[in-house]
Amino acid sequence: MAVVKPFCAVRPQENLASKIAALPYDVYNRKEAKEETEKNPYSFLKIDRPETQFPDDVDMYAPEVYKKARKIFWNMMEDGDFLQDVDPNFYLYELTRNGHVQTGIVACASIDDYMNGIIKKHENTRVEKELDRIRHVDVLEAQTGPIFLAYRANADFRHLIEVKKKDFPIFNFVSEDGIRHRGWMIYESAMTHKIEKTFRAMDSIYIADGHHRAASAIKAGLKRRQENPNYTGREPFNYFLCTLFADEELEILDYNRVVKDLNGCSEEEFLEKVRERFYVSEPGTEAVSPRQKGEFGMYLGDRWYTLNIKDEYRSPDVVDGLDVALLQNNLLEPVLGIREPAKDPRIDFIGGIRGLGELEKRVLTDCKAAFSMYPTSMAELFAVADAGKLMPPKSTWFEPKLRSGLFIHRI
C-alpha cells in the first residue's frame, strides 16, 4: 500500500515560472551553475546551488553557503516571487519533448514507504553526495527538487489526467532547450480522494531518477524525527516531494561509454580480443545506433563497428542480462581492465541526449574508443528493483529532466 499525499506547494508566480524553473542542481558543475545564475538572476539555481553567490575560493559546503540559500528563498517569498498554497493539493506536471508527452502527478510520498521497500530503488547512493542535500534541505526547511518516481500504468489515472488537462494551467512555458512545461492544480476533493485511493492499491512504486535526492530527503526527515521524538507521523517532514509518472509514458535514452586507452593493446590486438565474445561487423563510416538488446556500436580508429554479443555470453539474470552489464562483464573488464566503472578515471559516460556525434568528438580528442548502447527499458528497471537488486552504474538516462523550483515542499 503506497501512501501518497497532497501538499501545500510553494510555487512561482505564473509570470515568473519560466525564469525561476531550473534544471536539477547536479546537471551543472560550479562554473556552469555560476554562469547560469549570472545570466538569469531569477534562476532557482541561486537556491539549489548557493555557492554561485560566493567567490570561487569559498568552500561550497561551508555553513554560510547553506544559510545563503535560505536567505535568498525567503527574500523571494517576501518579494512575492513565490506564492504559498493554503490548502493541500495534488498537481500535474506535463513535459513535452520532440512531440513526446509525459504527465506526472506532483505529490508527497512517505519516507516510511521508502524505508520498508514499497518505494523501490535500483541504484546505490554515495554518502558524500547525500550530505550536501541533507544540509540543504535541513537549513532551507524545504525540499526543492522533486524525486522522479514511476508506477505501472493505470487506466483510472489516465482518464483523470486527460480530464484535468482540459483546465487552464497554472504555468505554461517553453524552456531554452525546447521543452514545453505545463502544470495544473488538482483541488477537487473527488479527484484527490481518487488519487490517494488508487495509490493505496499499489504495492510498489519505483525511483526512476534522483536516488541521491531521495536518500537525502529521507535522511533529513529521519533527522527531524530524532529531534522531535513525539512526532505523530503527520508532520510534513515525514513525506518527500515527488512527481509520479506512468511507466508507459517514460522515455529512457541510451547511456553511452567512452574509454581513454586500450589497456596497452594496439587497435588490431584489441579487435581480436573483442571478437572472442562478440560478433564484429566490417568497419564503416556511418554512426551505429543499436537496434536491439545485445547489440552495441563501437567507434574505433575513425570507424564504426556493430558488435553483437555471442549467445553463450548472454545471461538470464535480471542484472547480468542488462546490456550495460553485458558490455561491462564481457569487454570493459576482461579486455580493458575496467573493474569499477563508477571510480575508474579511464572511462566516461555520455547521455544519449548529446547524440553519437559526441562519441566521435571524444574519440578524436581525448579517448580511444566509444560504445553506443541500446537503452535500458522500464520493464528491466522494474524487474531489477522487484528482485531487490541494483543496476550497474550509469544504466539509465531519462529525458526530459524535471525542473526544480516549480513545486516546493516546506517541511
Side-chain angles (χ1 to χ4, degrees):
M1 182 181 77
V3 178
V4 174
K5 292 284 191 183
F7 70 108
C8 301
V10 174
R11 51 190 178 87
Q13 294 285 357
E14 183 181 358
N15 65 317
L16 292 178
S18 63
K19 295 180 180 179
I20 289 174
L23 284 164
Y25 73 95
D26 51 0
V27 168
Y28 302 92
N29 60 35
R30 184 167 183 168
K31 180 175 181 290
E32 292 168 339
K34 191 163 191 174
E35 289 173 353
E36 184 66 23
T37 58
E38 289 173 350
K39 181 176 70 175
N40 173 17
Y42 281 100
S43 174
F44 199 76
L45 274 178
K46 289 198 306 183
I47 296 170
D48 260 355
R49 296 286 297 271
E51 76 275 10
T52 59
Q53 308 304 298
F54 291 85
D56 293 342
D57 59 352
V58 172
D59 180 5
M60 64 187 292
Y61 305 120
E64 61 266 25
V65 172
Y66 297 97
K67 291 176 183 177
K68 184 69 171 180
R70 180 184 176 90
K71 181 178 180 180
I72 295 170
F73 176 58
W74 281 105
N75 284 346
M76 293 182 75
M77 288 283 288
E78 292 170 0
D79 290 344
D81 299 335
F82 289 106
L83 57 87
Q84 166 82 68
D85 287 332
V86 177
D87 298 314
N89 307 291
F90 287 115
Y91 304 84
L92 293 183
Y93 181 13
E94 176 199 81
L95 301 98
T96 304
R97 172 183 172 270
N98 295 337
H100 173 83
V101 181
Q102 62 187 57
T103 309
I105 298 170
V106 185
C108 280
S110 165
I111 66 174
D112 290 311
D113 284 353
Y114 179 93
M115 301 294 292
N116 63 27
I118 290 176
I119 297 174
K120 296 182 177 180
K121 59 183 181 179
H122 64 268
E123 286 184 9
N124 264 331
T125 55
R126 302 207 313 266
V127 173
E128 65 272 17
K129 288 188 70 174
E130 294 174 13
L131 291 176
D132 166 50
R133 289 300 101 177
I134 293 171
R135 296 189 196 107
H136 190 272
V137 170
D138 198 39
V139 174
L140 196 64
E141 296 187 294
Q143 299 156 354
T144 61
I147 314 306
F148 189 158
L149 301 183
Y151 61 89
R152 288 186 170 87
N154 179 285
D156 289 339
F157 277 165
R158 195 180 301 116
H159 175 70
L160 182 151
I161 288 169
E162 289 173 356
V163 170
K164 188 63 194 178
K165 283 166 65 171
K166 294 177 182 177
D167 285 358
F168 194 81
I170 56 175
F171 59 80
N172 182 1
F173 64 91
V174 177
S175 51
E176 287 185 354
D177 53 4
I179 296 169
R180 186 174 73 166
H181 304 261
R182 295 199 296 170
W184 292 265
M185 179 191 297
I186 301 176
Y187 52 83
E188 300 88 344
S189 59
M191 283 190 177
T192 297
H193 293 150
K194 181 70 172 178
I195 292 171
E196 290 185 278
K197 181 180 178 182
T198 303
F199 276 118
R200 280 199 301 270
M202 296 182 186
D203 57 6
S204 300
I205 51 181
Y206 303 82
I207 300 177
D209 201 10
H211 282 76
H212 282 93
R213 287 194 298 275
S216 301
I218 273 68
K219 290 182 178 179
L222 294 176
K223 178 176 180 290
R224 292 295 175 100
R225 284 184 173 183
Q226 290 179 337
E227 295 168 349
N228 298 273
N230 296 320
Y231 75 91
T232 66
R234 295 188 297 271
E235 297 87 353
F237 59 73
N238 293 288
Y239 299 88
F240 65 92
L241 179 65
C242 63
T243 306
L244 304 107
F245 293 88
D247 59 340
E248 64 183 9
E249 292 192 3
L250 296 179
E251 190 173 37
I252 303 180
L253 301 187
D254 42 310
Y255 213 156
N256 303 311
R257 276 83 169 127
V258 291
V259 294
K260 298 182 180 180
D261 63 63
L262 298 182
N263 200 26
C265 294
S266 67
E267 289 184 7
E268 292 76 16
E269 291 169 335
F270 174 67
L271 279 169
E272 279 304 308
K273 291 184 178 183
V274 171
R275 288 190 180 101
E276 293 176 7
R277 302 192 187 190
F278 295 84
Y279 297 108
V280 181
S281 73
E282 291 298 316
T285 57
E286 185 175 348
V288 176
S289 180
R291 298 162 295 177
Q292 59 188 348
K293 277 185 60 59
E295 184 172 288
F296 308 84
M298 181 174 72
Y299 190 61
L300 174 73
D302 199 27
R303 290 291 184 269
W304 279 95
Y305 299 81
T306 300
L307 311 184
N308 281 281
I309 187 80
K310 294 180 179 180
D311 287 344
E312 59 265 38
Y313 296 106
R314 293 179 183 269
S315 172
D317 183 81
V318 292
V319 175
D320 289 341
L322 296 170
D323 277 26
V324 290
L326 292 176
L327 186 71
Q328 174 63 32
N329 296 338
N330 293 285
L331 196 160
L332 297 180
E333 181 171 348
V335 179
L336 295 176
I338 297 172
R339 293 176 177 82
E340 295 186 75
K343 299 178 181 179
D344 198 317
R346 299 166 56 223
I347 187 170
D348 203 356
F349 305 88
I350 299 174
I353 190 70
R354 305 191 71 171
L356 299 183
E358 181 67 15
L359 302 187
E360 296 179 345
K361 177 183 174 183
R362 289 294 300 273
V363 171
L364 294 173
T365 52
D366 65 332
C367 293
K368 288 294 185 181
F371 302 92
S372 57
M373 309 294 295
Y374 187 72
T376 304
S377 70
M378 286 301 300
E380 289 174 319
L381 186 155
F382 283 0
V384 171
D386 285 338
K389 297 185 177 183
L390 301 173
M391 285 186 169
K394 313 296 184 182
S395 293
T396 56
W397 182 280
F398 284 92
E399 286 289 343
K401 302 294 185 188
L402 308 184
R403 268 29 180 200
S404 296
L406 293 175
F407 301 97
I408 300 166
H409 175 228
R410 290 177 57 191
I411 63 169

